[in-house]
């Protein structure tokens, strides 16, 4: 099938590579095709990732002790402080990009793949698909995770810390989230329909 | 080399199907199709310039105000970095410096460089330009690191009289600058770099 490179515009012959190889543009070396995994497998991992997500918000991430006073925080509480504090803008950006968008992306992937697996025409999930492509730029879960670690290191200077179960679950959520994003090749939903 | 312009084709960026240039709706996924991202140059320039403006207060104003036993301690991004370097945590200091000072400046310089390159004919360094473009596409989101750290620390440390942390005005300016650079990169169409002739500057 003839196509053009989305990064330099050269006309290229498209063919599907196996799982160990990817197709590169001969002119600008953009990745043109990378094989995705089976849809069923992606759905399963996406579901398990969502199962990690919900408790990771509610369970304590950190318990702090300063001079006999102690305070326990969960990710959800940490997010809500901003709205009472008058810095809603930062709070909204941090919650959206760090927590909400990764979770929404997983839900969207399930909403795209389950109907296609059943045999629905991909055109029916077109709007969900386009929304997913837009959100992809704004999912910053991995950055959020690293920032949790940095915040913990910074706080160690001020207080005695105990890491809670929430942090382990959140790490598990992000690892499975990444597996899903890497395995899912959005273009596959159109190609599998044609074959 | 045959290109989509020379063959009068237009690639759908949603499903990567190659349409004829006259089709405005993709034949396969029915999304909107155009040969190049619309108003790519002006939109990228506009967002990059606004981002540049917000970077100034982001670096001069305090990012975070720590109050310990009634004593206020406001620090800007650079002061935070220096604090870590002087207190034996050079590693974290470097991570924060790279993520919140070096990366935003590098990203904006690359965007302006790429914009100039689209206007120059007969260029040679396209491979380098594409490499830079892919780098800024990849690292863009990491600039949010410092914002997230401040956000988390503010919400975790609320001991009323003993110690509190409040976000400074720089946090909002910095978050805006980062978001605007990401939008600028999104709007940039790297195919403009490769186009030759009168279609090139579209």
């Amino acid at each position: 099938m003839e196509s053009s490179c989305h990064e330099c515009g050269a006309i290229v012959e498209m063919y599907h590579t196996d799982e160990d190889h990817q197709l590169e543009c001969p002119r600008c070396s953009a990745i043109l095709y990378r094989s995705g995994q089976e849809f069923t497998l992606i759905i399963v991992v996406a579901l398990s990732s969502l199962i990690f997500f919900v408790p990771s918000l509610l369970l304590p991430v950190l318990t702090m002790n300063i001079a006999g006073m102690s305070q326990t925080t969960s990710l959800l509480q940490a997010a809500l402080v901003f709205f009472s504090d008058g810095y809603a803008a930062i709070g909204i950006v941090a919650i959206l990009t760090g927590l909400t968008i990764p979770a929404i992306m997983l839900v969207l992937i399930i909403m795209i793949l389950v109907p296609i697996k059943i045999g629905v025409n991909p055109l029916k999930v077109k709007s969900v698909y386009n929304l997913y492509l837009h959100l992809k730029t704004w999912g910053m879960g991995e950055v959020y995770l690293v920032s949790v670690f940095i915040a913990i290191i910074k706080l160690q200077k001020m207080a005695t810390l105990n890491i809670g179960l929430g942090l382990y679950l959140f790490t598990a959520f992000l690892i499975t989230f990444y597996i899903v994003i890497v395995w899912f090749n959005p273009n596959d939903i159109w190609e599998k329909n044609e074959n | 080399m045959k290109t989509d312009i020379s063959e009068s084709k237009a690639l759908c960026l949603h499903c990567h199907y190659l349409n004829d240039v006259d089709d405005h709706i993709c034949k396969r996924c029915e999304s909107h199709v155009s040969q190049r991202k619309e108003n790519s140059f002006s939109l990228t320039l506009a967002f990059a310039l606004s981002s540049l403006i917000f970077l100034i207060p982001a670096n001069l104003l305090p990012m975070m105000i720590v109050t310990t036993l009634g004593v206020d301690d406001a620090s800007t991004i650079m002061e935070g970095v220096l604090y870590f370097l002087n207190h034996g945590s050079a590693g974290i200091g470097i991570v924060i410096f790279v993520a919140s000072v070096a990366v935003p400046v590098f990203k904006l310089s690359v965007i302006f460089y790429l914009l100039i390159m689209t206007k120059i004919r007969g260029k040679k360094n396209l491979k380098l330009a594409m490499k830079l473009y892919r780098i800024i596409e990849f690292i863009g989101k990491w600039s949010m690191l410092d914002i997230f750290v401040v956000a988390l620390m503010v919400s975790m440390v609320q001991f009323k009289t003993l110690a509190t942390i409040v976000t400074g005005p720089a946090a909002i300016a910095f978050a805006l600058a980062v978001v605007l650079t990401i939008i600028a990169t999104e709007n940039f169409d790297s195919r403009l770099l490769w186009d030759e002739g009168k279609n090139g500057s579209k």
Side-chain angles (χ1 to χ4, degrees):
Chain A
M1 196 179 71
E2 199 178 56
S3 189
S4 75
C5 170
H6 61 283
E7 287 190 6
C8 77
I11 298 284
V12 282
E13 189 58 38
M14 282 285 275
Y15 56 90
H16 285 184
T17 50
D18 58 30
E19 276 176 34
D20 301 328
H21 297 84
Q22 52 194 22
L23 183 62
E24 284 184 7
C25 170
R27 183 160 76 161
C28 76
S29 349
I31 296 163
L32 296 175
Y33 183 81
R34 183 175 54 82
S35 162
Q37 277 289 344
E38 272 298 303
F39 289 167
T40 326
L41 197 59
I42 298 172
I43 297 170
V44 171
V45 182
L47 278 174
S48 30
S49 185
L50 281 173
I51 292 170
F52 286 126
F53 177 68
V54 180
S56 79
L57 284 185
L58 303 171
L59 290 171
V61 174
L62 202 63
T63 308
M64 257 183 303
N65 290 297
I66 298 183
M69 290 168 82
S70 114
Q71 183 193 342
T72 306
T73 335
S74 67
L75 284 175
L76 194 64
Q77 278 172 319
L80 290 176
V81 167
F82 283 96
F83 295 96
S84 53
D85 221 34
Y87 283 96
I90 304 280
I92 291 170
V93 170
I95 298 161
L96 271 184
T97 55
L99 300 172
T100 326
I101 292 181
I104 293 176
M105 279 167 73
L106 289 172
V107 175
L108 291 181
I109 288 179
I110 294 170
M111 281 168 70
I112 294 166
L113 292 185
V114 170
I116 285 174
K117 200 73 205 165
I118 300 169
V120 176
N121 187 332
L123 275 176
K124 291 258 163 60
V125 290
K126 173 195 139 198
S127 48
V128 185
Y129 174 80
N130 285 346
L131 180 61
Y132 171 78
L133 291 185
H134 279 295
L135 283 184
K136 240 183 135 179
T137 330
W138 299 101
M140 302 185 187
E142 75 276 34
V143 184
Y144 200 80
L145 183 67
V146 173
S147 70
V148 174
F149 292 132
I150 292 188
I152 288 173
I153 296 169
K154 278 190 162 188
L155 289 173
Q156 261 178 349
K157 307 239 153 78
M158 298 178 65
T160 330
L161 302 179
N162 287 308
I163 308 290
L165 189 58
L167 187 64
Y168 299 113
L169 284 174
F170 190 63
T171 313
F173 159 68
L174 281 174
I175 291 171
T176 42
F177 168 76
Y178 261 86
I179 293 175
V180 173
I181 301 303
V182 171
W183 278 358
F184 177 49
N185 177 2
N187 289 337
D188 275 352
I189 74 163
W190 308 101
E191 322 251 315
K192 295 231 164 117
N193 195 45
E194 276 166 5
N195 298 337
Chain B
M1 181 124 205
K2 288 202 288 184
T3 65
D4 51 354
I5 291 180
S6 72
E7 306 293 300
S8 298
K9 298 280 188 188
L11 182 75
C12 170
L13 284 179
H14 294 277
C15 74
H16 288 201
Y17 180 81
L18 197 61
N19 293 275
D20 290 324
V21 74
D22 303 320
D23 300 338
H24 296 292
I25 302 293
C26 173
K27 282 202 189 85
R28 183 159 71 175
C29 75
E30 297 179 357
S31 302
H32 177 76
V33 180
S34 59
Q35 201 169 40
R36 292 288 174 264
K37 291 182 187 170
E38 277 152 18
N39 302 321
S40 171
F41 186 88
S42 359
L43 283 174
T44 310
L45 184 62
F47 282 113
L49 283 176
S50 355
S51 166
L52 188 64
I53 293 168
F54 280 110
L55 263 190
I56 298 164
N59 280 291
L60 296 181
L61 296 174
M63 189 80 166
M64 177 162 91
I65 301 151
V66 184
T67 313
T68 326
L69 299 169
V71 184
D72 278 9
D73 178 22
S75 60
T76 62
I77 296 178
M78 271 319 283
E79 283 166 3
V81 172
L82 290 177
Y83 173 86
F84 278 111
L85 290 181
N86 296 335
H87 286 74
S89 313
I92 309 169
I94 291 166
V95 168
I96 297 173
F97 177 79
V98 170
S100 35
V101 183
V103 168
V105 171
F106 172 73
K107 273 192 75 174
L108 280 175
S109 332
V110 170
I111 291 174
F112 288 123
Y113 170 71
L114 290 176
L115 285 174
I116 294 167
M117 287 293 279
T118 63
K119 296 294 184 194
I120 295 174
R121 301 275 151 266
K123 42 218 151 183
K124 299 184 186 105
N125 288 333
L126 281 177
K127 286 255 175 191
L128 172 74
M130 288 307 283
K131 221 169 248 168
L132 289 171
Y133 169 68
R134 283 173 199 140
I135 291 172
I136 61 166
E137 235 190 349
F138 176 75
I139 59 173
K141 50 174 81 164
W142 287 95
S143 317
M144 288 300 274
L145 192 71
D146 215 29
I147 294 292
F148 289 161
V149 172
V150 173
L152 283 164
M153 290 191 63
V154 167
S155 46
M156 282 174 176
V157 183
Q158 298 296 336
F159 286 98
K160 305 289 176 225
T161 50
L162 212 54
T164 47
I165 300 181
V166 183
T167 42
I172 291 170
F174 190 80
L176 266 171
V178 175
V179 167
L180 287 168
T181 0
I182 294 177
I183 299 175
T185 321
E186 273 286 278
N187 275 296
F188 183 72
D189 194 333
S190 57
R191 289 172 295 186
L192 293 176
L193 291 167
W194 299 83
D195 295 343
E196 295 289 347
K198 60 175 188 282
N199 285 320
S201 57
K202 198 168 70 175

